[in-house]
């Protein structure tokens, strides 16, 4: 049956850390843009710094929102941000609410990431370990930008990591609290300053022996290994972000059986049987359409 996800406003898929729009035939949001297009949505993927603080990425996004509005004739956009892309989208919506109809956080660290806390603590400012890690991560980000055709974007790995820590996001939330829940683990207000807020995310579930073909995916194994470092949200995380830390606005669901990269439809997502990550985006576009967005 033909899906109908013809939203009133264009959709912008906003990538997170080490993200890109397209490298050759490989899209960061693998198969998602095409599925949304097939369902009638008008979709764009902004190109942003792969490693940078939320505010710098947010300013880049604001510039590209203006380009989309100018090119399409629309007066608003729907932002769907994955991981740090959720914080980037929240920044843009807070500063330009009249240009943003909705913000959807997908696996977004809206209260910070415990994993980022551990990494930040391990890299002592001014020490060689921090300098080497920063240089390697920044070079990798520059390489990704070069391959995607957007060389020259400013990259700062330490700024990005600090922005994703619990303290970093706490400071960010103090400036841009729109859509945040008042109580840990609850939902936030769905409508703030004319912008609707939504979120969804996943968690690692069950034993590895029950994962089927996902056990062959090195990125899924990596997420499982990293999940062991969580304490506050032990067994309630996707390997990079905690379940309740992801809550923003109307929580569609925060315990899909998906790891952090599954929600991008990356390798592990293509062999999932429990839930189709691509369909989640199409369903959400239909939800936005029904809401007049």
């Amino acid at each position: 049956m033909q899906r109908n996800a013809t939203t009133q406003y264009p959709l912008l898929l906003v990538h997170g850390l080490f993200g890109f729009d397209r490298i050759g035939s490989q899209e960061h949001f693998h198969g998602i843009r095409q599925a949304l297009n097939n369902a009638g949505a008008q979709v764009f993927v902004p190109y942003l710094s792969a490693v940078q603080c939320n505010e710098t990425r947010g300013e880049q996004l604001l510039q590209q929102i203006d380009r989309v509005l100018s090119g399409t004739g629309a007066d608003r956009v729907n932002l769907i941000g994955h991981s740090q892309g959720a914080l980037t989208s929240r920044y843009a919506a807070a500063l330009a609410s009249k240009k943003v109809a909705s913000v959807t956080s997908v696996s977004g660290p809206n209260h910070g990431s415990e994993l980022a806390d551990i990494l930040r603590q391990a890299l002592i400012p001014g020490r060689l370990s921090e300098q080497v890690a920063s240089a390697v991560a920044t070079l990798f980000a520059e390489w990704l930008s070069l391959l995607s055709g957007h060389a020259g974007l400013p990259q700062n790995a330490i700024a990005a990591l600090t922005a994703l820590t619990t303290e970093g996001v706490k400071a960010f939330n103090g400036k841009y609290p729109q859509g945040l829940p008042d109580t840990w683990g609850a939902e936030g207000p769905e409508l703030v300053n004319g912008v609707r807020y939504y979120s969804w995310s996943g968690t690692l579930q069950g034993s590895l022996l029950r994962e089927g073909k996902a056990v062959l995916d090195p990125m899924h194994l990596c997420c499982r290994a990293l999940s062991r470092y969580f304490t506050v949200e032990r067994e309630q995380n996707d390997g990079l972000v905690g379940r309740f830390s992801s809550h923003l606005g109307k929580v569609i669901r925060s315990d899909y059986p998906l790891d952090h990269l599954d929600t991008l439809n990356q390798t592990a997502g293509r062999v999932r049987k429990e839930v189709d990550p691509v369909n989640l985006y199409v369903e959400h576009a239909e939800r936005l359409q029904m809401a007049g967005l």
Side-chain angles (χ1 to χ4, degrees):
M1 183 177 68
Q2 180 66 35
R3 307 290 292 272
N4 183 4
T6 308
T7 56
Q8 179 175 349
Y9 305 112
L11 303 177
L12 273 66
L13 302 177
V14 185
H15 69 73
L17 197 67
F18 292 114
F20 50 89
D21 52 353
R22 175 193 292 271
I23 294 179
S25 61
Q26 178 66 32
E27 291 189 327
H28 189 67
F29 290 88
H30 181 80
I32 294 168
R33 172 161 51 180
Q34 187 60 54
L36 289 167
N37 281 334
N38 291 344
Q42 193 173 23
V43 189
F44 300 87
V45 181
Y47 46 91
L48 310 172
S49 294
V51 288
Q52 189 52 266
C53 68
N54 301 318
E55 289 82 354
T56 297
R57 284 167 46 87
E59 288 296 328
Q60 294 170 355
L61 178 58
L62 285 170
Q63 292 178 13
Q64 293 186 60
I65 287 173
D66 285 339
R67 293 193 189 103
V68 170
L69 296 181
S70 176
T72 63
D75 53 10
R76 305 183 81 183
V77 296
N78 293 300
L79 301 176
I80 302 178
H82 179 265
S83 195
Q84 190 186 11
L87 303 177
T88 307
S89 299
R90 288 174 49 198
Y91 175 90
L95 268 65
S97 59
K98 292 184 179 180
K99 298 179 181 179
V100 179
S102 71
V103 169
T104 301
S105 165
V106 179
S107 303
N110 294 303
H111 295 274
S113 169
E114 291 185 62
L115 185 62
D117 292 343
I118 293 170
L119 291 174
R120 178 67 270 193
Q121 291 169 10
L123 300 176
I124 301 173
R127 296 289 182 87
L128 182 62
S129 60
E130 182 193 59
Q131 295 171 5
V132 171
S134 176
V136 171
T138 299
L139 283 172
F140 180 63
E142 291 174 346
W143 179 69
L144 288 175
S145 295
L146 177 64
L147 291 180
S148 64
H150 304 300
L153 289 173
Q155 312 290 347
N156 189 325
I158 296 302
L161 177 59
T162 301
L164 295 172
T165 62
T166 301
E167 286 301 313
V169 177
K170 181 179 180 181
F172 178 84
N173 288 345
K175 300 175 184 177
Y176 316 108
Q178 294 85 345
L180 292 172
D182 292 329
T183 305
W184 176 256
E187 291 187 319
E190 182 177 344
L191 182 63
V192 183
N193 296 335
V195 180
R196 292 193 179 275
Y197 290 84
Y198 304 89
S199 61
W200 82 74
S201 59
T203 59
L204 293 163
Q205 300 174 14
S207 69
L208 186 60
L209 296 177
R210 299 177 58 187
E211 289 289 354
K213 294 181 181 179
V215 299
L216 303 176
D217 174 35
M219 296 310 297
H220 180 71
L221 296 178
C222 182
C223 284
R224 280 194 169 267
L226 293 174
S227 72
R228 299 173 184 173
Y229 291 95
F230 284 72
T231 55
V232 176
E233 298 200 70
R234 183 178 296 276
E235 299 183 356
Q236 292 288 336
N237 65 80
D238 64 8
L240 275 75
V241 174
R243 173 185 179 182
F244 299 116
S245 179
S246 74
H247 284 197
L248 180 77
K250 173 66 178 177
V251 179
I252 297 165
R253 182 176 170 182
S254 58
D255 64 344
Y256 285 112
L258 301 169
D259 68 35
H260 194 74
L261 296 180
D262 285 340
T263 49
L264 281 172
N265 194 38
Q266 294 297 342
T267 306
R270 299 176 207 168
V271 297
R272 287 289 181 185
K273 294 181 179 179
E274 300 93 336
V275 58
D276 178 3
V278 175
N279 188 55
L280 295 182
Y281 287 83
V282 178
E283 284 183 346
H284 188 57
E286 293 172 335
R287 183 179 293 112
L288 296 175
Q289 183 213 41
M290 291 293 292
L293 306 175

